Amino acid sequence: MATRAPRKKAARAAPDPQGAAASAAGAARFVTLRVGNSVLAVPLADVREIVRRPEIVRIPLSPPSLEGLARRHGVVLPVIGLRSVLGLPGAAVDKDARVVVVGHRGQPVGLAVDRVEGIVSVAGARIDRDAGDAGVDAALLAGVIRDPKGGAVAAILDAGPLVERQFADLVRPAAERAAAHDGVAAVAAQAKAAATVGLVTFAVAGQEFALPISDVERIVPHPAEVTRMPKARAHLLGVMALGDGLLPLVGLRELFGLGGSTAEQGRVVVARLGDGAQVGLAVDGVREILRVDPALVAPVPAILAREAEFEDIQSIVRLQGGKRLVSVLSAERMLAHAADVAAALEEHSGGEATMAERGAGGSDEPFVVFRLGEAEYGLPVSAVQEIQRRPKTLSPLPKAPEFVAGLVNLRGAALPVVDLRRILRLGEAVRDERQRVVVLAVREFRAGLIVDSTSGVLRIPADSIEPAPTVTEAQRQLIGRVATLDGQKRMVLLLEVEALFDMEHLAALLETA
Protein backbone atom coordinates (compact mmCIF):
# COMPACT_ATOMS: atom_id res chain seq x y z
CA MET A 1 0.00 0.00 0.00
CA ALA A 2 1.02 3.63 -0.32
CA THR A 3 3.40 5.71 1.79
CA ARG A 4 2.39 5.90 5.44
CA ALA A 5 1.53 9.16 7.15
CA PRO A 6 3.96 10.36 9.85
CA ARG A 7 3.57 8.54 13.17
CA LYS A 8 2.13 10.49 16.07
CA LYS A 9 3.14 10.12 19.72
CA ALA A 10 -0.01 11.65 21.17
CA ALA A 11 -2.18 9.22 23.10
CA ARG A 12 -5.44 11.00 22.29
CA ALA A 13 -6.81 11.66 18.84
CA ALA A 14 -7.92 15.24 19.48
CA PRO A 15 -9.13 17.65 16.79
CA ASP A 16 -6.82 20.54 15.91
CA PRO A 17 -7.18 23.81 13.99
CA GLN A 18 -5.66 22.32 10.82
CA GLY A 19 -8.15 19.49 10.99
CA ALA A 20 -10.99 22.00 11.16
CA ALA A 21 -9.62 23.76 8.10
CA ALA A 22 -9.31 20.46 6.24
CA SER A 23 -12.91 19.59 7.04
CA ALA A 24 -14.03 22.96 5.78
CA ALA A 25 -12.23 22.25 2.51
CA GLY A 26 -14.24 19.04 2.00
CA ALA A 27 -11.62 16.65 3.38
CA ALA A 28 -12.23 13.89 5.90
CA ARG A 29 -9.88 12.98 8.73
CA PHE A 30 -8.92 9.44 9.68
CA VAL A 31 -6.75 7.61 12.19
CA THR A 32 -4.66 5.09 10.25
CA LEU A 33 -3.76 1.76 11.84
CA ARG A 34 -1.59 -1.21 10.96
CA VAL A 35 -2.70 -4.79 11.59
CA GLY A 36 -0.29 -7.31 10.11
CA ASN A 37 0.37 -6.09 6.56
CA SER A 38 -2.95 -4.27 6.31
CA VAL A 39 -3.40 -0.54 6.72
CA LEU A 40 -6.83 0.39 8.05
CA ALA A 41 -8.49 3.72 8.69
CA VAL A 42 -11.09 4.77 11.27
CA PRO A 43 -12.92 8.10 10.95
CA LEU A 44 -11.44 10.45 13.53
CA ALA A 45 -14.93 11.44 14.64
CA ASP A 46 -15.53 7.82 15.75
CA VAL A 47 -12.37 7.65 17.89
CA ARG A 48 -12.70 8.49 21.59
CA GLU A 49 -9.07 7.92 22.45
CA ILE A 50 -5.96 5.90 21.64
CA VAL A 51 -4.10 4.24 24.51
CA ARG A 52 -1.22 1.90 25.13
CA ARG A 53 -2.42 -1.66 25.42
CA PRO A 54 -3.76 -2.04 29.00
CA GLU A 55 -3.95 -5.14 31.18
CA ILE A 56 -6.65 -7.33 29.62
CA VAL A 57 -8.59 -10.08 31.43
CA ARG A 58 -9.91 -12.86 29.21
CA ILE A 59 -13.65 -13.52 29.67
CA PRO A 60 -14.86 -17.11 29.13
CA LEU A 61 -17.58 -18.10 26.66
CA SER A 62 -16.75 -15.10 24.48
CA PRO A 63 -16.14 -14.93 20.71
CA PRO A 64 -12.56 -15.69 19.66
CA SER A 65 -12.10 -12.10 18.50
CA LEU A 66 -12.79 -10.71 21.98
CA GLU A 67 -9.40 -10.50 23.68
CA GLY A 68 -11.05 -9.69 27.01
CA LEU A 69 -12.00 -6.84 29.31
CA ALA A 70 -9.93 -3.85 30.38
CA ARG A 71 -10.64 -0.92 32.69
CA ARG A 72 -10.50 2.65 31.43
CA HIS A 73 -11.71 5.81 33.18
CA GLY A 74 -13.82 3.76 35.57
CA VAL A 75 -15.58 1.85 32.77
CA VAL A 76 -15.24 -1.82 31.79
CA LEU A 77 -13.99 -1.87 28.22
CA PRO A 78 -14.39 -4.89 25.89
CA VAL A 79 -11.33 -5.21 23.64
CA ILE A 80 -11.66 -6.77 20.16
CA GLY A 81 -8.50 -8.10 18.51
CA LEU A 82 -8.45 -6.92 14.92
CA ARG A 83 -5.94 -9.63 14.06
CA SER A 84 -8.58 -12.23 14.87
CA VAL A 85 -11.26 -10.31 12.97
CA LEU A 86 -9.04 -10.25 9.87
CA GLY A 87 -8.16 -13.93 10.21
CA LEU A 88 -4.51 -13.27 11.01
CA PRO A 89 -2.44 -15.36 13.44
CA GLY A 90 -1.78 -13.87 16.85
CA ALA A 91 1.46 -11.99 17.33
CA ALA A 92 3.55 -11.14 20.36
CA VAL A 93 2.44 -7.82 21.83
CA ASP A 94 5.20 -5.21 21.64
CA LYS A 95 5.70 -1.61 22.70
CA ASP A 96 3.90 -0.28 19.62
CA ALA A 97 0.65 -2.13 20.33
CA ARG A 98 -2.30 0.19 20.93
CA VAL A 99 -6.01 0.07 21.66
CA VAL A 100 -8.23 2.42 19.69
CA VAL A 101 -11.38 3.22 21.70
CA VAL A 102 -14.54 3.79 19.67
CA GLY A 103 -18.15 4.19 20.77
CA HIS A 104 -20.96 1.78 19.94
CA ARG A 105 -24.48 2.60 21.18
CA GLY A 106 -23.04 4.46 24.13
CA GLN A 107 -20.68 1.60 25.08
CA PRO A 108 -16.93 2.21 24.62
CA VAL A 109 -15.22 -0.63 22.75
CA GLY A 110 -11.48 -1.10 22.25
CA LEU A 111 -9.91 -2.25 18.99
CA ALA A 112 -6.50 -3.86 19.55
CA VAL A 113 -4.07 -3.04 16.74
CA ASP A 114 -0.38 -3.64 16.09
CA ARG A 115 0.44 0.03 15.63
CA VAL A 116 -1.15 3.43 15.09
CA GLU A 117 0.34 5.10 12.02
CA GLY A 118 -1.04 8.60 12.42
CA ILE A 119 -3.84 10.97 11.48
CA VAL A 120 -4.45 11.90 7.85
CA SER A 121 -6.73 14.32 6.01
CA VAL A 122 -8.19 12.85 2.83
CA ALA A 123 -9.95 14.74 0.04
CA GLY A 124 -13.45 13.49 -0.64
CA ALA A 125 -12.48 12.52 -4.20
CA ARG A 126 -10.07 9.90 -2.84
CA ILE A 127 -12.74 8.08 -0.79
CA ASP A 128 -14.39 5.24 -2.69
CA ARG A 129 -17.41 3.55 -1.13
CA ASP A 130 -16.79 0.43 -3.22
CA ALA A 131 -14.42 -1.63 -1.06
CA GLY A 132 -14.43 -4.81 -3.10
CA ASP A 133 -10.67 -4.81 -3.74
CA ALA A 134 -9.55 -3.86 -0.20
CA GLY A 135 -8.59 -7.38 0.86
CA VAL A 136 -10.91 -7.15 3.87
CA ASP A 137 -14.51 -8.36 4.24
CA ALA A 138 -16.46 -5.55 2.57
CA ALA A 139 -19.31 -5.94 5.11
CA LEU A 140 -16.98 -4.47 7.77
CA LEU A 141 -15.93 -1.50 5.66
CA ALA A 142 -17.33 1.91 4.81
CA GLY A 143 -15.06 2.21 1.76
CA VAL A 144 -11.41 2.62 0.88
CA ILE A 145 -8.97 5.52 0.58
CA ARG A 146 -7.36 5.48 -2.85
CA ASP A 147 -4.18 7.04 -4.19
CA PRO A 148 -4.23 9.30 -7.27
CA LYS A 149 -3.78 6.26 -9.55
CA GLY A 150 -6.79 4.48 -8.05
CA GLY A 151 -4.96 1.98 -5.88
CA ALA A 152 -6.23 1.15 -2.37
CA VAL A 153 -4.25 2.97 0.33
CA ALA A 154 -6.30 2.01 3.39
CA ALA A 155 -9.57 0.19 4.10
CA ILE A 156 -12.03 2.32 6.10
CA LEU A 157 -13.46 0.35 9.02
CA ASP A 158 -17.14 0.75 9.87
CA ALA A 159 -17.12 0.32 13.66
CA GLY A 160 -20.84 -0.48 13.99
CA PRO A 161 -20.97 -3.63 11.81
CA LEU A 162 -17.52 -4.63 13.07
CA VAL A 163 -18.65 -4.67 16.71
CA GLU A 164 -22.08 -6.17 16.07
CA ARG A 165 -20.70 -9.03 14.01
CA GLN A 166 -18.46 -10.06 16.92
CA PHE A 167 -21.23 -9.99 19.55
CA ALA A 168 -24.64 -8.60 18.79
CA ASP A 169 -25.62 -8.62 22.48
CA LEU A 170 -22.77 -6.39 23.60
CA VAL A 171 -25.03 -3.58 24.78
CA ARG A 172 -28.34 -4.20 26.55
CA PRO A 173 -30.60 -1.67 28.23
CA ALA A 174 -29.50 -0.97 31.80
CA ALA A 175 -32.90 -2.00 33.18
CA GLU A 176 -32.63 -5.40 31.50
CA ARG A 177 -29.13 -5.93 32.88
CA ALA A 178 -30.28 -5.04 36.38
CA ALA A 179 -33.22 -7.45 36.11
CA ALA A 180 -30.78 -10.25 35.29
CA HIS A 181 -29.44 -10.02 38.84
CA ASP A 182 -32.77 -10.17 40.70
CA GLY A 183 -32.45 -13.95 40.88
CA VAL A 184 -28.99 -13.68 42.44
CA ALA A 185 -30.28 -11.42 45.20
CA ALA A 186 -33.11 -13.85 45.95
CA VAL A 187 -30.73 -16.81 46.06
CA ALA A 188 -28.39 -14.94 48.42
CA ALA A 189 -31.25 -14.00 50.73
CA GLN A 190 -32.43 -17.60 50.94
CA ALA A 191 -28.92 -18.90 51.55
CA LYS A 192 -28.35 -16.39 54.35
CA ALA A 193 -31.49 -17.65 56.04
CA ALA A 194 -29.95 -21.11 56.41
CA ALA A 195 -29.23 -21.88 60.05
CA THR A 196 -25.50 -22.49 59.76
CA VAL A 197 -22.35 -20.88 61.11
CA GLY A 198 -19.79 -19.83 58.48
CA LEU A 199 -16.11 -20.15 59.38
CA VAL A 200 -12.76 -19.58 57.70
CA THR A 201 -10.24 -22.06 59.12
CA PHE A 202 -6.46 -21.67 59.08
CA ALA A 203 -3.38 -23.47 60.35
CA VAL A 204 -0.87 -22.14 62.89
CA ALA A 205 2.02 -24.45 63.89
CA GLY A 206 -0.05 -27.54 63.11
CA GLN A 207 -3.07 -26.36 65.11
CA GLU A 208 -6.36 -25.25 63.62
CA PHE A 209 -8.08 -21.93 64.32
CA ALA A 210 -10.98 -20.10 62.71
CA LEU A 211 -12.76 -16.79 62.40
CA PRO A 212 -16.43 -16.27 61.55
CA ILE A 213 -16.81 -15.47 57.85
CA SER A 214 -18.63 -12.28 58.82
CA ASP A 215 -15.44 -11.03 60.52
CA VAL A 216 -13.09 -11.79 57.60
CA GLU A 217 -12.45 -8.89 55.25
CA ARG A 218 -10.01 -10.64 52.92
CA ILE A 219 -7.05 -13.03 52.80
CA VAL A 220 -3.78 -11.88 51.24
CA PRO A 221 -0.24 -13.26 50.86
CA HIS A 222 2.21 -12.58 53.67
CA PRO A 223 4.10 -9.42 52.70
CA ALA A 224 7.81 -9.49 51.98
CA GLU A 225 8.27 -6.43 54.19
CA VAL A 226 6.78 -5.69 57.62
CA THR A 227 7.69 -2.49 59.45
CA ARG A 228 8.34 -3.04 63.15
CA MET A 229 7.11 -0.49 65.68
CA PRO A 230 9.41 0.61 68.54
CA LYS A 231 9.03 -1.23 71.86
CA ALA A 232 6.23 -3.44 70.49
CA ARG A 233 5.59 -6.81 72.11
CA ALA A 234 6.76 -9.93 70.29
CA HIS A 235 3.35 -10.84 68.82
CA LEU A 236 2.95 -7.35 67.33
CA LEU A 237 4.87 -7.97 64.14
CA GLY A 238 4.41 -4.37 62.98
CA VAL A 239 2.50 -2.87 60.06
CA MET A 240 2.11 -3.88 56.43
CA ALA A 241 0.85 -2.02 53.40
CA LEU A 242 -2.66 -2.93 52.27
CA GLY A 243 -4.22 -0.94 49.48
CA ASP A 244 -3.73 2.73 50.29
CA GLY A 245 -3.43 2.21 54.04
CA LEU A 246 -1.43 0.44 56.75
CA LEU A 247 -2.57 -2.69 58.55
CA PRO A 248 -1.47 -3.72 62.08
CA LEU A 249 -0.13 -7.29 61.93
CA VAL A 250 -0.42 -9.82 64.77
CA GLY A 251 1.57 -13.07 64.66
CA LEU A 252 -0.55 -15.93 65.97
CA ARG A 253 2.49 -18.16 66.50
CA GLU A 254 3.98 -15.50 68.76
CA LEU A 255 0.67 -14.65 70.43
CA PHE A 256 -0.02 -18.25 71.47
CA GLY A 257 3.62 -19.18 72.17
CA LEU A 258 3.66 -21.89 69.50
CA GLY A 259 7.28 -21.30 68.49
CA GLY A 260 8.86 -20.37 65.19
CA SER A 261 7.62 -17.62 62.90
CA THR A 262 5.25 -17.42 59.97
CA ALA A 263 7.09 -18.03 56.72
CA GLU A 264 6.80 -15.55 53.88
CA GLN A 265 4.76 -18.10 51.93
CA GLY A 266 2.14 -17.89 54.67
CA ARG A 267 -1.05 -15.84 54.55
CA VAL A 268 -2.56 -12.86 56.32
CA VAL A 269 -6.21 -13.10 57.36
CA VAL A 270 -7.63 -9.59 57.55
CA ALA A 271 -10.21 -9.42 60.36
CA ARG A 272 -12.72 -6.58 60.47
CA LEU A 273 -15.06 -5.23 63.11
CA GLY A 274 -18.36 -3.52 62.50
CA ASP A 275 -16.87 -0.03 62.71
CA GLY A 276 -14.46 -0.81 59.88
CA ALA A 277 -11.34 -1.22 62.03
CA GLN A 278 -9.06 -3.99 60.77
CA VAL A 279 -6.19 -6.18 61.94
CA GLY A 280 -4.07 -8.70 60.06
CA LEU A 281 -3.44 -12.17 61.49
CA ALA A 282 -0.29 -13.91 60.25
CA VAL A 283 -1.05 -17.63 59.73
CA ASP A 284 0.75 -20.54 58.11
CA GLY A 285 -2.02 -21.20 55.60
CA VAL A 286 -5.77 -21.10 55.04
CA ARG A 287 -7.44 -24.50 55.12
CA GLU A 288 -11.15 -24.38 54.45
CA ILE A 289 -14.34 -22.38 54.45
CA LEU A 290 -16.94 -24.29 56.41
CA ARG A 291 -20.60 -23.97 57.29
CA VAL A 292 -21.40 -25.94 60.41
CA ASP A 293 -24.48 -26.75 62.44
CA PRO A 294 -24.75 -24.33 65.41
CA ALA A 295 -25.15 -27.38 67.65
CA LEU A 296 -21.49 -28.17 66.97
CA VAL A 297 -20.36 -24.78 68.29
CA ALA A 298 -19.80 -24.65 72.06
CA PRO A 299 -18.50 -21.91 74.36
CA VAL A 300 -15.11 -22.32 76.00
CA PRO A 301 -15.63 -24.36 79.21
CA ALA A 302 -16.13 -22.01 82.17
CA ILE A 303 -13.15 -23.34 84.09
CA LEU A 304 -10.90 -22.51 81.14
CA ALA A 305 -12.56 -19.23 80.15
CA ARG A 306 -11.15 -17.63 83.31
CA GLU A 307 -7.59 -18.39 82.20
CA ALA A 308 -5.67 -15.74 80.24
CA GLU A 309 -4.58 -18.34 77.67
CA PHE A 310 -8.20 -18.77 76.51
CA GLU A 311 -9.43 -15.19 76.50
CA ASP A 312 -8.78 -14.85 72.75
CA ILE A 313 -11.00 -17.83 71.93
CA GLN A 314 -14.74 -17.20 71.76
CA SER A 315 -15.91 -20.76 71.03
CA ILE A 316 -14.83 -24.26 70.02
CA VAL A 317 -16.26 -26.24 67.12
CA ARG A 318 -16.45 -30.03 67.35
CA LEU A 319 -16.11 -31.77 63.97
CA GLN A 320 -15.81 -35.40 62.91
CA GLY A 321 -17.52 -36.62 66.04
CA GLY A 322 -15.22 -34.63 68.32
CA LYS A 323 -11.99 -35.86 66.73
CA ARG A 324 -11.35 -32.46 65.19
CA LEU A 325 -11.55 -29.37 67.40
CA VAL A 326 -11.31 -25.88 65.91
CA SER A 327 -10.76 -22.85 68.14
CA VAL A 328 -12.79 -19.85 66.94
CA LEU A 329 -10.97 -16.59 67.65
CA SER A 330 -12.52 -13.29 68.67
CA ALA A 331 -11.88 -10.56 66.09
CA GLU A 332 -12.43 -7.96 68.79
CA ARG A 333 -9.69 -9.48 70.97
CA MET A 334 -7.36 -9.67 67.97
CA LEU A 335 -7.88 -5.98 67.36
CA ALA A 336 -7.23 -5.24 71.03
CA HIS A 337 -3.85 -6.96 70.72
CA ALA A 338 -2.98 -4.57 67.90
CA ALA A 339 -4.07 -1.50 69.86
CA ASP A 340 -0.48 -0.46 70.63
CA VAL A 341 0.43 -0.53 66.95
CA ALA A 342 -2.76 1.28 65.97
CA ALA A 343 -2.12 3.98 68.57
CA ALA A 344 1.42 4.44 67.32
CA LEU A 345 0.15 4.73 63.77
CA GLU A 346 -2.42 7.35 64.69
CA GLU A 347 0.18 9.32 66.64
CA HIS A 348 2.53 9.12 63.69
CA SER A 349 -0.19 10.31 61.27
CA GLY A 350 -1.38 13.19 63.43
CA GLY A 351 -4.53 11.44 64.57
CA GLU A 352 -5.82 10.49 61.13
CA ALA A 353 -7.44 7.07 60.75
CA THR A 354 -4.87 4.65 59.35
CA MET A 355 -6.54 1.27 59.69
CA ALA A 356 -6.40 0.03 56.11
CA GLU A 357 -9.49 0.30 53.97
CA ARG A 358 -12.09 1.17 56.61
CA GLY A 359 -15.57 0.07 55.61
CA ALA A 360 -17.75 2.54 53.78
CA GLY A 361 -20.96 2.18 55.76
CA GLY A 362 -21.08 -1.57 55.22
CA SER A 363 -21.96 -1.14 51.52
CA ASP A 364 -19.95 -4.11 50.34
CA GLU A 365 -20.49 -7.76 49.42
CA PRO A 366 -18.38 -10.71 50.59
CA PHE A 367 -17.20 -13.17 47.93
CA VAL A 368 -15.17 -16.36 47.89
CA VAL A 369 -12.51 -15.66 45.27
CA PHE A 370 -10.75 -18.38 43.27
CA ARG A 371 -8.64 -18.77 40.15
CA LEU A 372 -9.16 -20.56 36.86
CA GLY A 373 -6.14 -20.13 34.64
CA GLU A 374 -4.97 -16.52 34.75
CA ALA A 375 -8.33 -15.01 35.76
CA GLU A 376 -10.03 -14.56 39.13
CA TYR A 377 -13.67 -15.38 39.78
CA GLY A 378 -16.00 -14.77 42.69
CA LEU A 379 -19.03 -16.45 44.28
CA PRO A 380 -21.22 -14.92 47.01
CA VAL A 381 -20.11 -16.16 50.44
CA SER A 382 -23.77 -16.74 51.28
CA ALA A 383 -23.98 -19.51 48.69
CA VAL A 384 -20.70 -21.26 49.60
CA GLN A 385 -21.12 -24.03 52.13
CA GLU A 386 -17.51 -25.15 52.36
CA ILE A 387 -14.29 -25.71 50.41
CA GLN A 388 -12.63 -29.13 50.21
CA ARG A 389 -9.53 -30.57 48.58
CA ARG A 390 -10.26 -32.14 45.21
CA PRO A 391 -10.82 -35.88 45.77
CA LYS A 392 -8.50 -38.32 44.02
CA THR A 393 -11.40 -40.16 42.40
CA LEU A 394 -14.97 -39.34 41.41
CA SER A 395 -17.76 -41.82 40.68
CA PRO A 396 -19.08 -41.40 37.13
CA LEU A 397 -22.67 -40.25 36.67
CA PRO A 398 -24.24 -41.92 33.60
CA LYS A 399 -25.95 -39.68 31.03
CA ALA A 400 -24.87 -36.53 32.84
CA PRO A 401 -23.82 -33.42 30.88
CA GLU A 402 -20.17 -33.46 29.86
CA PHE A 403 -19.30 -30.78 32.41
CA VAL A 404 -20.37 -32.99 35.34
CA ALA A 405 -17.13 -34.67 36.45
CA GLY A 406 -18.88 -37.20 38.71
CA LEU A 407 -20.11 -37.81 42.24
CA VAL A 408 -18.31 -37.70 45.57
CA ASN A 409 -19.46 -38.90 48.98
CA LEU A 410 -19.56 -35.88 51.28
CA ARG A 411 -20.39 -36.93 54.82
CA GLY A 412 -22.80 -39.64 53.68
CA ALA A 413 -24.48 -37.68 50.89
CA ALA A 414 -23.81 -37.91 47.15
CA LEU A 415 -22.55 -34.58 45.82
CA PRO A 416 -22.46 -33.87 42.06
CA VAL A 417 -19.14 -32.25 41.13
CA VAL A 418 -18.97 -29.89 38.16
CA ASP A 419 -15.78 -29.06 36.29
CA LEU A 420 -16.03 -25.29 35.96
CA ARG A 421 -13.28 -25.25 33.34
CA ARG A 422 -15.48 -27.34 31.04
CA ILE A 423 -18.43 -25.00 31.53
CA LEU A 424 -16.33 -21.95 30.70
CA ARG A 425 -14.51 -23.66 27.81
CA LEU A 426 -11.09 -23.12 29.38
CA GLY A 427 -9.53 -26.49 28.57
CA GLU A 428 -8.29 -29.16 30.96
CA ALA A 429 -5.89 -28.24 33.75
CA VAL A 430 -3.00 -30.30 35.06
CA ARG A 431 -4.09 -31.79 38.38
CA ASP A 432 -2.15 -30.56 41.39
CA GLU A 433 -2.45 -30.07 45.14
CA ARG A 434 -3.89 -26.57 44.84
CA GLN A 435 -7.14 -27.65 43.20
CA ARG A 436 -10.24 -27.39 45.37
CA VAL A 437 -13.94 -28.21 45.28
CA VAL A 438 -16.13 -25.25 46.24
CA VAL A 439 -19.39 -26.65 47.64
CA LEU A 440 -22.43 -24.50 46.86
CA ALA A 441 -25.73 -24.82 48.71
CA VAL A 442 -28.86 -23.04 47.50
CA ARG A 443 -32.19 -24.02 49.04
CA GLU A 444 -32.26 -27.84 48.94
CA PHE A 445 -29.66 -28.10 46.16
CA ARG A 446 -25.94 -28.73 46.56
CA ALA A 447 -23.14 -29.06 44.04
CA GLY A 448 -19.35 -28.85 43.99
CA LEU A 449 -17.27 -26.78 41.57
CA ILE A 450 -13.70 -27.81 40.72
CA VAL A 451 -11.42 -24.75 40.67
CA ASP A 452 -7.66 -24.35 40.17
CA SER A 453 -7.06 -22.70 43.55
CA THR A 454 -8.80 -20.49 46.09
CA SER A 455 -7.69 -17.03 47.21
CA GLY A 456 -9.97 -16.66 50.22
CA VAL A 457 -12.78 -14.31 51.21
CA LEU A 458 -12.85 -10.78 49.82
CA ARG A 459 -15.29 -7.99 50.66
CA ILE A 460 -15.92 -5.93 47.55
CA PRO A 461 -17.36 -2.41 47.82
CA ALA A 462 -20.68 -2.05 46.02
CA ASP A 463 -19.35 0.83 43.95
CA SER A 464 -16.61 -1.44 42.57
CA ILE A 465 -19.18 -3.83 41.05
CA GLU A 466 -20.97 -3.24 37.77
CA PRO A 467 -22.73 -5.29 35.08
CA ALA A 468 -20.34 -7.12 32.78
CA PRO A 469 -20.60 -6.28 29.09
CA THR A 470 -22.70 -8.96 27.41
CA VAL A 471 -20.81 -10.69 24.62
CA THR A 472 -22.75 -13.97 24.35
CA GLU A 473 -25.96 -15.26 25.89
CA ALA A 474 -24.07 -18.01 27.75
CA GLN A 475 -21.65 -15.50 29.24
CA ARG A 476 -24.50 -13.16 30.18
CA GLN A 477 -26.23 -15.83 32.22
CA LEU A 478 -23.08 -17.18 33.89
CA ILE A 479 -20.96 -14.03 34.38
CA GLY A 480 -23.30 -11.13 34.98
CA ARG A 481 -21.08 -8.75 36.95
CA VAL A 482 -17.47 -7.71 37.20
CA ALA A 483 -15.55 -6.10 40.07
CA THR A 484 -12.47 -3.93 39.68
CA LEU A 485 -10.13 -3.44 42.63
CA ASP A 486 -6.69 -2.18 43.65
CA GLY A 487 -6.82 1.01 41.66
CA GLN A 488 -8.46 -0.78 38.71
CA LYS A 489 -5.48 -3.13 38.36
CA ARG A 490 -7.37 -6.21 39.51
CA MET A 491 -10.54 -7.59 37.93
CA VAL A 492 -12.78 -10.32 39.41
CA LEU A 493 -15.49 -11.97 37.29
CA LEU A 494 -18.57 -12.64 39.43
CA LEU A 495 -20.50 -15.84 38.68
CA GLU A 496 -24.28 -16.17 38.77
CA VAL A 497 -25.04 -18.91 41.30
CA GLU A 498 -28.54 -19.79 40.15
CA ALA A 499 -27.41 -20.46 36.58
CA LEU A 500 -24.94 -23.07 37.82
CA PHE A 501 -27.73 -25.13 39.41
CA ASP A 502 -30.08 -25.40 36.43
CA MET A 503 -27.98 -28.07 34.73
CA GLU A 504 -30.44 -28.95 31.96
CA HIS A 505 -30.74 -25.31 30.95
CA LEU A 506 -26.98 -24.91 31.33
CA ALA A 507 -26.29 -27.86 29.01
CA ALA A 508 -28.66 -26.45 26.37
CA LEU A 509 -27.14 -22.99 26.75
CA LEU A 510 -23.61 -24.25 26.26
CA GLU A 511 -24.56 -26.18 23.13
CA THR A 512 -25.27 -22.87 21.43
CA ALA A 513 -22.22 -21.07 22.86
Side-chain angles (χ1 to χ4, degrees):
M1 292 194 176
T3 304
R4 300 187 308 218
R7 293 177 62 184
K8 305 290 184 181
K9 295 183 179 180
R12 296 178 182 269
D16 59 23
Q18 290 184 348
S23 297
R29 306 191 76 215
F30 296 89
V31 176
T32 55
L33 324 165
R34 184 168 290 275
V35 180
N37 293 323
S38 298
V39 177
L40 306 173
V42 178
L44 181 59
D46 294 344
V47 176
R48 294 189 179 187
E49 89 184 298
I50 300 170
V51 299
R52 292 184 182 275
R53 184 183 173 95
E55 189 73 24
I56 296 175
V57 175
R58 176 74 182 174
I59 186 169
L61 302 174
S62 59
S65 60
L66 183 69
E67 294 197 8
L69 302 179
R71 187 81 175 181
R72 186 71 182 164
H73 301 313
V75 176
V76 175
L77 180 75
V79 178
I80 298 173
L82 287 191
R83 276 187 163 269
S84 177
V85 171
L86 300 180
L88 300 175
V93 176
D94 61 24
K95 61 182 178 61
D96 291 328
R98 294 291 186 271
V99 170
V100 178
V101 182
V102 299
H104 179 68
R105 299 183 185 175
Q107 163 76 53
V109 180
L111 307 178
V113 303
D114 294 352
R115 189 165 68 237
V116 172
E117 300 284 7
I119 299 175
V120 297
S121 295
V122 180
R126 292 180 55 197
I127 299 174
D128 186 353
R129 298 303 173 185
D130 181 3
D133 62 343
V136 178
D137 186 347
L140 303 179
L141 302 179
V144 294
I145 299 172
R146 298 195 181 277
D147 62 24
K149 295 182 179 181
V153 176
I156 303 173
L157 285 178
D158 190 340
L162 172 67
V163 173
E164 290 183 0
R165 174 176 287 195
Q166 309 315 309
F167 27 83
D169 294 331
L170 176 63
V171 179
R172 297 188 296 136
E176 182 184 347
R177 289 187 299 200
H181 302 296
D182 288 348
V184 175
V187 168
Q190 290 167 337
K192 288 180 180 178
T196 56
V197 176
L199 300 172
V200 177
T201 69
F202 39 86
V204 180
Q207 298 191 33
E208 194 169 16
F209 297 87
L211 275 173
I213 286 179
S214 58
D215 292 341
V216 175
E217 175 77 11
R218 64 174 68 182
I219 299 170
V220 298
H222 194 287
E225 296 183 5
V226 176
T227 302
R228 293 281 300 182
M229 302 300 292
K231 300 181 181 179
R233 286 170 287 177
H235 65 270
L236 301 178
L237 303 184
V239 294
M240 58 176 278
L242 184 65
D244 296 327
L246 297 175
L247 182 75
L249 188 60
V250 173
L252 292 190
R253 279 178 172 264
E254 293 81 359
L255 179 64
F256 295 126
L258 298 176
S261 60
T262 304
E264 287 191 1
Q265 61 266 32
R267 310 287 283 178
V268 173
V269 178
V270 183
R272 168 189 173 184
L273 295 182
D275 63 358
Q278 296 178 7
V279 60
L281 307 180
V283 303
D284 296 346
V286 176
R287 286 189 172 175
E288 296 174 317
I289 296 175
L290 300 174
R291 289 192 177 272
V292 301
D293 188 326
L296 300 178
V297 181
V300 177
I303 194 171
L304 298 178
R306 296 193 296 265
E307 302 296 327
E309 290 85 350
F310 290 89
E311 63 182 357
D312 298 320
I313 300 173
Q314 66 180 29
S315 58
I316 296 176
V317 180
R318 296 174 290 105
L319 302 174
Q320 300 174 1
K323 296 179 181 178
R324 177 184 174 191
L325 299 179
V326 181
S327 300
V328 182
L329 301 177
S330 163
E332 188 171 1
R333 284 289 306 157
M334 295 300 104
L335 190 65
H337 284 300
D340 291 347
V341 174
L345 284 174
E346 293 202 10
E347 181 180 348
H348 178 71
S349 63
E352 296 180 1
T354 54
M355 289 292 190
E357 297 178 310
R358 288 183 180 271
S363 59
D364 53 16
E365 293 185 51
F367 290 88
V368 173
V369 178
F370 57 89
R371 298 194 74 88
L372 289 172
E374 298 301 316
E376 286 189 292
Y377 298 79
L379 284 164
V381 163
S382 56
V384 176
Q385 186 176 59
E386 57 187 292
I387 299 175
Q388 300 280 353
R389 291 184 179 276
R390 177 173 177 167
K392 293 182 179 180
T393 59
L394 293 168
S395 301
L397 185 61
K399 299 184 179 180
E402 56 89 18
F403 53 78
V404 177
L407 295 174
V408 65
N409 186 318
L410 184 64
R411 291 186 290 278
L415 180 78
V417 177
V418 171
D419 190 333
L420 198 51
R421 276 182 162 270
R422 295 181 189 175
I423 290 179
L424 300 178
R425 303 287 194 259
L426 296 177
E428 296 292 332
V430 178
R431 292 194 57 169
D432 61 34
E433 291 298 314
R434 295 176 299 171
Q435 289 183 322
R436 294 291 186 269
V437 173
V438 179
V439 181
L440 301 180
V442 177
R443 299 184 294 276
E444 69 274 22
F445 304 111
R446 290 201 310 167
L449 304 179
I450 299 174
V451 303
D452 292 356
S453 63
T454 55
S455 304
V457 177
L458 180 63
R459 289 182 180 273
I460 300 179
D463 58 7
S464 296
I465 301 174
E466 61 185 288
T470 298
V471 296
T472 65
E473 183 60 21
Q475 170 265 314
R476 180 186 74 82
Q477 295 193 31
L478 285 167
I479 305 171
R481 295 184 294 171
V482 60
T484 50
L485 305 164
D486 299 339
Q488 303 185 11
K489 296 178 181 178
R490 181 184 183 188
M491 190 174 292
V492 181
L493 305 176
L494 304 179
L495 292 171
E496 303 289 354
V497 176
E498 197 162 60
L500 294 170
F501 277 88
D502 191 346
M503 294 196 182
E504 288 188 10
H505 176 69
L506 186 57
L509 184 68
L510 294 175
E511 285 181 3
T512 62

